[in-house]
Amino acid sequence: AKNTETEERVAIKAFNKEHILKKDKGVENIREEIEITWNLNNKNLIKMIELHESENSIYMVLELLEGGEIFSLSGGCIQYDMAIHILRELLKGVNYLAKHNIMHRDLKPENIVLKFKGVPIKQNVIKIVDFGLSAYKDDQPHCFVKCGTPGYAAPEVINSKSETHIFYDSKCDIFSLGIIFFFMMTGVMPYDGADFMEVLNNNRKGTINFNIPELKAQPDIVVELIKGMLELDPKKRVS
């Protein structure tokens, strides 16, 4: 596909209209994803190149990211300086979203992708992708109140009552990044479990063990930052 200013390598995300219309809130959810993704303008967030609509489908033409998911390239081990670099780049993207009153609401390793193949992480471009659960903070009520991925969801999101209008903000994304940062620094998931339900229940309980040896081995400033990002009370959580 050609953009008016530059030629881009692209990937296409398609939505079947009939399927969307059969789903409660489906139209509103897709509309919001398209609107948010279309207006993103930050190097650490995926870019939409074009939008096309046929009789039966809607197509989002997105920049092609060929570098793969960030953790799949690390062999399960993230070095200290690389982890700090990754976090810094992700925070730049989340900061942009927060300034535009946008919550991603599903930050996890699968949604962190490198733009270029064969380029080292520190020289690559780190992208946050998949805005399918994103929402504007002030757009109430949200299409989906309780959403995200168990193991990464902030307590105010995963424990919210679906039938009520719950107000939360972009600090829910800071919590999810805190989980990712914790894992990068320790190789341990705060909300681990033998199966999906155990992970979900542990996430709902919200208890995090900061006294593990892997975390004690980190500099005090790293531990302080992780604790600030994983503060259960969003009012006390770092922005």
PDB file of all heavy atoms in Angstrom, residues 11 26 36 53 67 98 123 125 146 150 172 174 199:
ATOM      1  N   ALA A  11       1.011  -4.402   7.219  1.00  0.00           N
ATOM      2  CA  ALA A  11       0.244  -5.593   7.561  1.00  0.00           C
ATOM      3  C   ALA A  11      -1.214  -5.171   7.601  1.00  0.00           C
ATOM      4  O   ALA A  11      -1.529  -4.018   7.868  1.00  0.00           O
ATOM      5  CB  ALA A  11       0.683  -6.138   8.909  1.00  0.00           C
ATOM      6  N   GLY A  26     -19.892  -4.587  19.948  1.00  0.00           N
ATOM      7  CA  GLY A  26     -18.838  -4.843  18.966  1.00  0.00           C
ATOM      8  C   GLY A  26     -18.546  -3.636  18.094  1.00  0.00           C
ATOM      9  O   GLY A  26     -17.385  -3.293  17.874  1.00  0.00           O
ATOM     10  N   ILE A  36      -8.668   5.403  17.830  1.00  0.00           N
ATOM     11  CA  ILE A  36      -7.459   5.582  18.631  1.00  0.00           C
ATOM     12  C   ILE A  36      -6.220   5.261  17.806  1.00  0.00           C
ATOM     13  O   ILE A  36      -5.261   6.041  17.778  1.00  0.00           O
ATOM     14  CB  ILE A  36      -7.523   4.706  19.898  1.00  0.00           C
ATOM     15  CG1 ILE A  36      -8.537   5.289  20.897  1.00  0.00           C
ATOM     16  CG2 ILE A  36      -6.142   4.588  20.554  1.00  0.00           C
ATOM     17  CD1 ILE A  36      -8.788   4.424  22.113  1.00  0.00           C
ATOM     18  N   GLU A  53     -12.818   0.112   3.657  1.00  0.00           N
ATOM     19  CA  GLU A  53     -14.086  -0.526   4.009  1.00  0.00           C
ATOM     20  C   GLU A  53     -14.722  -1.089   2.749  1.00  0.00           C
ATOM     21  O   GLU A  53     -14.841  -0.396   1.734  1.00  0.00           O
ATOM     22  CB  GLU A  53     -15.020   0.496   4.658  1.00  0.00           C
ATOM     23  CG  GLU A  53     -16.334  -0.091   5.135  1.00  0.00           C
ATOM     24  CD  GLU A  53     -17.177   0.933   5.888  1.00  0.00           C
ATOM     25  OE1 GLU A  53     -16.712   2.075   6.050  1.00  0.00           O
ATOM     26  OE2 GLU A  53     -18.298   0.574   6.290  1.00  0.00           O
ATOM     27  N   GLY A  67      10.272  -7.581  13.531  1.00  0.00           N
ATOM     28  CA  GLY A  67      11.284  -7.989  14.506  1.00  0.00           C
ATOM     29  C   GLY A  67      10.859  -9.044  15.499  1.00  0.00           C
ATOM     30  O   GLY A  67      11.688  -9.617  16.194  1.00  0.00           O
ATOM     31  N   ALA A  98      -1.085   8.609  27.838  1.00  0.00           N
ATOM     32  CA  ALA A  98      -1.664   9.283  29.006  1.00  0.00           C
ATOM     33  C   ALA A  98      -1.952  10.753  28.714  1.00  0.00           C
ATOM     34  O   ALA A  98      -2.985  11.292  29.131  1.00  0.00           O
ATOM     35  CB  ALA A  98      -0.721   9.153  30.200  1.00  0.00           C
ATOM     36  N   GLN A 123      19.228  -1.010  19.402  1.00  0.00           N
ATOM     37  CA  GLN A 123      19.273  -0.196  18.185  1.00  0.00           C
ATOM     38  C   GLN A 123      17.969  -0.279  17.395  1.00  0.00           C
ATOM     39  O   GLN A 123      17.826   0.368  16.351  1.00  0.00           O
ATOM     40  CB  GLN A 123      20.429  -0.666  17.289  1.00  0.00           C
ATOM     41  CG  GLN A 123      21.809  -0.222  17.721  1.00  0.00           C
ATOM     42  CD  GLN A 123      22.345  -1.035  18.880  1.00  0.00           C
ATOM     43  OE1 GLN A 123      22.399  -2.262  18.801  1.00  0.00           O
ATOM     44  NE2 GLN A 123      22.747  -0.365  19.956  1.00  0.00           N
ATOM     45  N   VAL A 125      13.533  -0.340  17.092  1.00  0.00           N
ATOM     46  CA  VAL A 125      12.404   0.491  17.529  1.00  0.00           C
ATOM     47  C   VAL A 125      11.404  -0.419  18.222  1.00  0.00           C
ATOM     48  O   VAL A 125      10.917  -1.383  17.633  1.00  0.00           O
ATOM     49  CB  VAL A 125      11.728   1.207  16.341  1.00  0.00           C
ATOM     50  CG1 VAL A 125      10.563   2.060  16.836  1.00  0.00           C
ATOM     51  CG2 VAL A 125      12.741   2.067  15.590  1.00  0.00           C
ATOM     52  N   LYS A 146     -14.108  -4.459  32.755  1.00  0.00           N
ATOM     53  CA  LYS A 146     -13.151  -5.451  33.243  1.00  0.00           C
ATOM     54  C   LYS A 146     -12.520  -6.132  32.038  1.00  0.00           C
ATOM     55  O   LYS A 146     -13.181  -6.870  31.312  1.00  0.00           O
ATOM     56  CB  LYS A 146     -13.862  -6.475  34.133  1.00  0.00           C
ATOM     57  CG  LYS A 146     -12.931  -7.474  34.804  1.00  0.00           C
ATOM     58  CD  LYS A 146     -13.714  -8.535  35.558  1.00  0.00           C
ATOM     59  CE  LYS A 146     -14.537  -7.937  36.669  1.00  0.00           C
ATOM     60  NZ  LYS A 146     -15.198  -8.992  37.490  1.00  0.00           N
ATOM     61  N   PRO A 150      -5.070 -11.751  32.442  1.00  0.00           N
ATOM     62  CA  PRO A 150      -4.711 -12.151  33.813  1.00  0.00           C
ATOM     63  C   PRO A 150      -3.201 -12.318  33.962  1.00  0.00           C
ATOM     64  O   PRO A 150      -2.542 -12.897  33.100  1.00  0.00           O
ATOM     65  CB  PRO A 150      -5.449 -13.484  33.986  1.00  0.00           C
ATOM     66  CG  PRO A 150      -6.636 -13.364  33.090  1.00  0.00           C
ATOM     67  CD  PRO A 150      -6.146 -12.589  31.889  1.00  0.00           C
ATOM     68  N   CYS A 172      -3.413   2.349  35.184  1.00  0.00           N
ATOM     69  CA  CYS A 172      -3.573   0.900  35.009  1.00  0.00           C
ATOM     70  C   CYS A 172      -2.500   0.367  34.066  1.00  0.00           C
ATOM     71  O   CYS A 172      -2.040  -0.768  34.213  1.00  0.00           O
ATOM     72  CB  CYS A 172      -4.974   0.559  34.508  1.00  0.00           C
ATOM     73  SG  CYS A 172      -5.364   1.098  32.820  1.00  0.00           S
ATOM     74  N   ILE A 174       0.539   1.694  33.859  1.00  0.00           N
ATOM     75  CA  ILE A 174       1.776   1.707  34.643  1.00  0.00           C
ATOM     76  C   ILE A 174       1.904   0.412  35.439  1.00  0.00           C
ATOM     77  O   ILE A 174       2.988  -0.173  35.546  1.00  0.00           O
ATOM     78  CB  ILE A 174       1.812   2.917  35.588  1.00  0.00           C
ATOM     79  CG1 ILE A 174       1.874   4.225  34.782  1.00  0.00           C
ATOM     80  CG2 ILE A 174       2.983   2.836  36.561  1.00  0.00           C
ATOM     81  CD1 ILE A 174       3.162   4.399  33.996  1.00  0.00           C
ATOM     82  N   VAL A 199      -3.673 -18.224  37.988  1.00  0.00           N
ATOM     83  CA  VAL A 199      -3.109 -16.912  37.653  1.00  0.00           C
ATOM     84  C   VAL A 199      -4.155 -15.825  37.851  1.00  0.00           C
ATOM     85  O   VAL A 199      -3.881 -14.771  38.438  1.00  0.00           O
ATOM     86  CB  VAL A 199      -2.589 -16.894  36.200  1.00  0.00           C
ATOM     87  CG1 VAL A 199      -2.171 -15.479  35.794  1.00  0.00           C
ATOM     88  CG2 VAL A 199      -1.416 -17.847  36.039  1.00  0.00           C
TER      89      VAL A 199
END
